[in-house]
Coordinates of all heavy atoms in Angstrom, one line a residue:
Y26 N 118.0 101.2 99.9 CA 117.7 102.1 101.1 C 116.3 102.4 101.0 O 115.5 102.4 101.9 CB 118.5 103.4 100.9 CG 118.4 104.3 102.1 CD1 119.4 104.4 103.0 CD2 117.3 105.1 102.1 CE1 119.2 105.3 104.1 CE2 117.1 106.1 103.2 CZ 118.2 106.2 104.1 OH 118.0 107.0 105.2
V86 N 132.1 92.2 94.5 CA 132.3 92.3 96.0 C 130.9 92.3 96.7 O 130.7 91.7 97.7 CB 133.0 93.6 96.4 CG1 133.1 93.8 97.9 CG2 134.5 93.4 95.8
Q184 N 94.8 106.0 94.9 CA 94.5 107.3 94.2 C 95.0 108.5 94.9 O 95.4 109.5 94.3 CB 93.1 107.4 93.9 CG 92.2 107.3 95.1 CD 90.7 107.4 94.7 OE1 90.3 108.1 93.8 NE2 89.9 106.7 95.5
G192 N 106.6 114.1 104.0 CA 105.8 114.4 102.8 C 106.2 113.6 101.6 O 105.8 113.9 100.4
C204 N 107.0 89.8 108.0 CA 107.4 89.4 109.3 C 106.3 89.6 110.4 O 105.8 88.8 111.2 CB 108.6 90.0 109.8 SG 110.1 89.4 109.0
Y220 N 92.4 78.4 123.5 CA 90.9 78.4 123.8 C 90.3 77.1 123.6 O 89.5 76.7 124.5 CB 90.3 79.5 122.7 CG 88.8 79.5 122.9 CD1 88.2 80.2 123.9 CD2 87.9 78.8 121.9 CE1 86.8 80.3 124.1 CE2 86.5 78.8 122.1 CZ 86.0 79.6 123.1 OH 84.6 79.7 123.2
F244 N 96.9 93.6 106.3 CA 96.3 94.9 106.4 C 96.8 95.6 107.7 O 97.2 96.8 107.7 CB 94.7 94.8 106.5 CG 94.0 96.0 107.1 CD1 93.7 97.1 106.2 CD2 93.6 96.0 108.5 CE1 93.1 98.2 106.9 CE2 93.0 97.2 109.0 CZ 92.8 98.2 108.2
S264 N 87.7 102.9 105.8 CA 87.0 102.0 105.0 C 85.8 101.6 105.7 O 85.7 100.6 106.5 CB 87.9 100.8 104.7 OG 87.4 100.0 103.6
E321 N 72.9 98.0 108.9 CA 72.6 96.7 109.5 C 73.9 96.2 110.1 O 73.9 95.7 111.2 CB 72.0 95.8 108.5 CG 70.5 96.2 108.2 CD 70.0 95.2 107.1 OE1 70.8 94.5 106.4 OE2 68.7 95.3 106.8
S328 N 75.2 96.5 118.8 CA 74.5 95.7 119.8 C 75.4 94.5 120.5 O 75.2 94.2 121.5 CB 73.3 94.9 119.1 OG 73.8 94.1 118.0
K336 N 79.2 106.6 118.9 CA 78.3 107.1 117.8 C 78.3 108.5 117.6 O 78.2 109.3 118.5 CB 76.8 106.6 118.3 CG 75.8 106.5 117.1 CD 74.5 106.0 117.5 CE 73.5 105.9 116.4 NZ 72.2 105.2 116.9

Side-chain angles (χ1 to χ4, degrees):
Y26 186 103
V86 172
Q184 58 180 326
C204 283
Y220 175 77
F244 160 84
S264 189
E321 289 175 345
S328 62
K336 192 173 182 180

